[in-house]
Amino acid sequence: MVGLQTLEEVEEAWKTFETTGFVHVSEPERHGLRPNRDAIPGTTNIYMISAHHQLHCLKKLHVAFTLLLMAARDNATSADADEKAMIGVRHAEHCWNYLRQGIVCAGDATLEGPSADGTLLGYGVRHQCRRWEGEGGLETYRRGHGVDHGL
C-alpha cells in the first residue's frame, strides 16, 4: 500500500477489506444490545463490527485524501511545491497502511447498532477498550519506558 498514485490503485489496495462487517443477532437483548429494525432496509437486529466500521472509515478517508492530492498535483505551480507534497504523500501512505494494520491486528469486536435515528454511525455504543492507565496499561507502560526524542 505504499506509493499509491491513482484512485484505481487505492481502490485495488483496499479490495481485501471489502466487507461490510454487518452481522445479525437473533436475540440482541441477551447480549446487552438494543433491538433494531431497518438499519439496513427490510432487516431486524443488524449490527456492525466496530473494526470493520473503522476500516470502512479509514478507506473513505484514504480515497478522499487521494482525490485531493491528485487535484493538488494537477494544480502544482512549482517543482519544489510538488516535491514537498510528495514527501508528505509518501509519509501519509505509510500512515494509512500503519493504521490499517493496527485495526486489522487488534480490531475492536464491539457490535455497533443503529443510533436512535436509525443510522449506523457507531455513536453511543459501549466499547471494550484496552487498558490505558494503571498496572498493565499502555499509557502507563509508555510513560515508564518512553524515549524522549524531541517530537
Side-chain angles (χ1 to χ4, degrees), residues 91-102:
H91 191 113
E93 283 296 335
H94 153 77
C95 292
W96 294 121
N97 195 40
Y98 186 73
L99 291 170
R100 179 192 57 79
Q101 288 175 1

Side-chain angles (χ1 to χ4, degrees), residues 7-50:
L7 182 58
E8 292 76 23
E9 291 172 336
V10 170
E11 292 281 0
E12 181 65 28
W14 279 96
K15 269 189 177 176
T16 305
F17 305 103
E18 285 297 322
T19 175
T20 63
F22 289 118
V23 295
H24 174 262
V25 178
S26 58
E27 297 179 46
E29 298 94 335
R30 288 187 56 202
H31 305 283
L33 299 169
R34 189 177 72 216
N36 66 74
R37 178 177 300 283
D38 293 324
I40 298 173
T43 66
T44 59
N45 301 326
I46 297 294
Y47 304 86
M48 182 183 274
I49 299 169
S50 186

